[in-house]
Amino acid sequence: MAKARPFSPDRGSLLPSRALAIRLHPPGERAIREGHPWVFDGSIRSVDASGPPPQAGDVGVVFDRKGRFLAVGLYDPDDPIRLRILHAGSPRKVGAEFFAQRLRSAMERRAPLLRNGSRERGYSETNGFRVVNGEGDGLPGVVLDRYGESFVLKLYARSWLARLPELVDALVQIMAPRSLLGLVSRRLAADARCPAEMRAGALLHGSDPGSALPFLENGFHLEAHPLEGHKTGFYLDQRENRQRVEEEARKLAWDHDGLRILNVFSYSGGFSLYGARGALRGAGENRHAPVEVTSVDVAGPALRQAERHFEMNGEQVGRARHRTLEGDAFRLLGDLDRSGDRFHLVVVDPPSFATRQDQEAGAIAAYSRLTRAALPLLESGGTLVQASCSSRVSPDSFYRVIRGEVRRSGRQMDSERRWGHPLDHPVGPPESEYLKCLFATIR
Ligand code: SAH
């Protein structure tokens, strides 16, 4: 089982508090004035540094043509995003105090999540959520997720490695985590200059939390696995859509006396649990109404975690029958159709099929195939839930693809609802918007 290795970022290597003076070409200046947090290499006119050559993590101060302060950010001479803006407008000192302020505002924004608790039990029913969503929270390249008493920090830019001691200080001061784990993006892990501990998953503060971090989401007991390579260990971004699936299942079960739900690309069964709870509530007094949930994923460990999640929440979903199917979703959807399986609710939440612009066409083709394969499995009057987490596919193209497939199938779609980012995943610049989810009734 993977284990986080203790790691103290070397304070001795903290960069000197010099600042690089940066001047930009006009489009770069304009982008900053419009609030864009990224300055690309091509926008840079000059970088003035006294002393040693600029290093990743140096503070860059941008001045306009007239020499007035424009913005301050973190510089990296080797990153196509040369500067990630932390603050624009008036001069500010970058350091632990600044990071602490950003963390405080991020927490204020998420206060509604902590209020959804159960008063009489005296705790919130949700203590797993994203605390910092990079650009959307004014800390570009930084993600911080909370899972109960543990926090997972994930860095997406090398410049942050040099600022890690200050960032950890701020995190410990504001969040008082029992454990703080550190991860890096795949791109950063491929960089030989990234410390081995951060590449493998580092224990940055507190006690070793073990490989499964327990947390609560809307009353469900869940576990995140930060060292296993999916985001920070759980798909927190789908929480609001999971709640919507619960509500949809509740209504459908009320109408149908029981329910059959299919969750494709289930990972650890998030949508399956909510679907089951909704359907059981909808079936209400009718304790014999059958509620069946099928979770499909290519990853065996993810399905075993889904089973474990059903066991951990037996009180709430124990009356539902949960089955798992391991294998390729495209093939299994065909198998289900041939064997005559039909469902009232189908959730399709695939991985991102496009991380680069040139993969967009392939991703769109994959979304089409999935809709085409899901439609025959849906009972008339059932609900299709289909999501996309690729920022390379625009909401417009995504919804157009689904509508096109429904039309071609001769079915009809109504009460279409479209959802974007949840409260704890605020969107930064347009490029950082990725999540789209459609709910529609199919007749
Ligand atoms: N819906 C999930 C998140 C899905 S992430 C949630 O809410 O938690 C995407 C999942 O798709 C991963 O678990 C991955 O193992 C799975 N996957 C990727 N390719 C697949 C394929 N071809 N067939 C089935 N599952 C696949």
Side-chain angles (χ1 to χ4, degrees):
M1 184 99 20
K3 199 166 157 43
R5 287 152 64 181
F7 178 61
S8 304
D10 179 6
R11 275 154 208 281
S13 71
L14 245 186
L15 292 172
S17 57
R18 66 162 177 186
L20 310 171
I22 298 176
R23 286 182 172 74
L24 306 179
H25 296 298
E29 269 189 29
R30 209 173 311 126
I32 289 188
R33 289 191 207 280
E34 284 165 6
H36 205 290
W38 298 336
V39 176
F40 288 94
D41 45 2
S43 306
I44 299 210
R45 204 170 58 168
S46 67
V47 178
D48 293 330
S50 52
Q55 300 178 51
D58 272 334
V59 171
V61 181
V62 185
F63 295 97
D64 70 5
R65 261 159 301 168
K66 295 184 178 153
R68 290 172 303 199
F69 175 94
L70 255 187
V72 61
L74 293 185
Y75 186 82
D76 182 347
D78 304 321
D79 193 331
I81 303 179
R82 202 49 68 83
L83 189 70
R84 288 169 206 261
I85 301 295
L86 289 168
H87 176 75
S90 51
R92 284 285 278 281
K93 187 173 174 319
V94 171
E97 189 39 44
F98 175 84
F99 300 147
Q101 272 175 27
R102 283 286 141 96
L103 291 171
R104 270 185 227 111
S105 336
M107 283 305 287
E108 273 164 32
R109 186 175 219 165
R110 286 146 179 92
L113 278 175
L114 293 168
R115 280 200 291 269
N116 82 344
S118 126
R119 282 244 167 75
E120 62 276 22
R121 272 175 286 175
Y123 61 78
S124 163
E125 297 205 315
T126 298
N127 63 14
F129 55 90
R130 177 150 296 187
V131 182
V132 172
N133 192 42
E135 283 69 7
D137 283 299
L139 289 171
V142 174
V143 156
L144 179 71
D145 286 342
R146 174 179 174 187
Y147 295 109
E149 301 310 314
S150 301
F151 287 73
V152 184
L153 173 68
K154 188 161 178 179
L155 303 180
Y156 287 80
R158 196 164 73 91
S159 47
W160 281 106
L161 289 172
R163 297 284 152 200
L164 202 49
E166 295 156 311
L167 191 56
V168 170
D169 281 352
L171 277 168
V172 169
Q173 182 202 328
I174 304 295
M175 307 291 166
R178 188 180 296 162
S179 317
L180 173 63
L181 297 182
L183 303 174
V184 293
S185 65
R186 214 167 293 162
R187 191 173 67 96
L188 200 46
D191 190 320
R193 296 165 295 188
C194 177
E197 292 90 342
M198 287 297 287
R199 241 180 271 158
L203 179 61
L204 294 170
H205 176 84
S207 55
D208 179 2
S211 63
L213 311 183
F215 68 102
L216 283 169
E217 189 188 82
N218 293 308
F220 280 123
H221 294 272
L222 302 174
E223 288 175 341
H225 294 268
L227 304 181
E228 274 151 39
H230 290 259
K231 297 226 174 200
T232 63
F234 192 77
Y235 289 84
L236 292 171
D237 55 354
Q238 291 287 23
R239 182 188 52 255
E240 292 180 4
N241 290 327
R242 283 191 280 272
Q243 287 170 264
R244 293 179 182 116
V245 160
E246 174 166 4
E247 181 53 20
E248 198 65 23
R250 192 185 64 76
K251 289 192 207 143
L252 286 166
W254 173 261
D255 291 343
H256 291 93
D257 245 355
L259 211 68
R260 284 188 305 277
I261 300 172
L262 175 64
N263 180 11
V264 193
F265 304 98
S266 67
Y267 189 55
S268 56
F271 282 112
S272 304
L273 288 168
Y274 280 73
R277 186 167 70 184
L280 291 169
R281 284 186 181 162
E285 293 306 299
N286 183 358
R287 296 183 64 86
H288 301 293
V291 170
E292 293 173 14
V293 185
T294 304
S295 299
V296 172
D297 204 283
V298 76
L303 290 175
R304 285 190 284 284
Q305 181 64 42
E307 279 162 355
R308 185 168 153 73
H309 277 154
F310 269 81
E311 284 157 23
M312 288 166 64
N313 294 283
E315 227 176 277
Q316 302 183 68
V317 292
R319 278 201 293 123
R321 188 174 151 239
H322 180 229
R323 96 177 139 155
T324 57
L325 296 177
E326 183 177 335
D328 175 51
F330 293 90
R331 182 176 59 76
L332 287 171
L333 286 171
D335 292 352
L336 286 168
D337 182 27
R338 279 184 292 278
S339 59
D341 285 60
R342 295 296 176 265
F343 303 89
H344 305 98
L345 176 58
V346 176
V347 179
V348 183
D349 177 29
S352 169
F353 293 124
T355 48
R356 296 192 320 261
Q357 198 57 55
D358 62 348
Q359 295 167 330
E360 186 191 341
I364 287 185
Y367 292 134
S368 291
R369 275 180 69 198
L370 286 172
T371 310
R372 214 157 46 230
L375 287 171
L377 301 177
L378 261 175
E379 299 276 13
S380 181
T383 303
L384 173 68
V385 177
Q386 192 170 343
S388 156
C389 61
S390 173
S391 59
R392 301 292 181 181
V393 175
S394 72
D396 264 2
S397 345
F398 177 64
Y399 297 122
R400 199 174 328 117
V401 162
I402 301 177
R403 251 179 288 130
E405 284 303 334
V406 174
R407 200 176 331 105
R408 266 189 289 281
S409 74
R411 307 279 291 268
Q412 267 170 20
M413 177 157 135
D414 51 51
S415 41
E416 181 185 341
R417 286 141 291 155
R418 301 168 174 194
W419 303 103
H421 281 232
L423 170 91
D424 55 339
H425 288 63
V427 179
E431 301 89 310
S432 69
E433 178 172 357
Y434 66 94
L435 195 62
K436 311 164 269 298
C437 189
L438 170 132
F439 281 60
T441 303
I442 305 292
R443 304 210 181 269

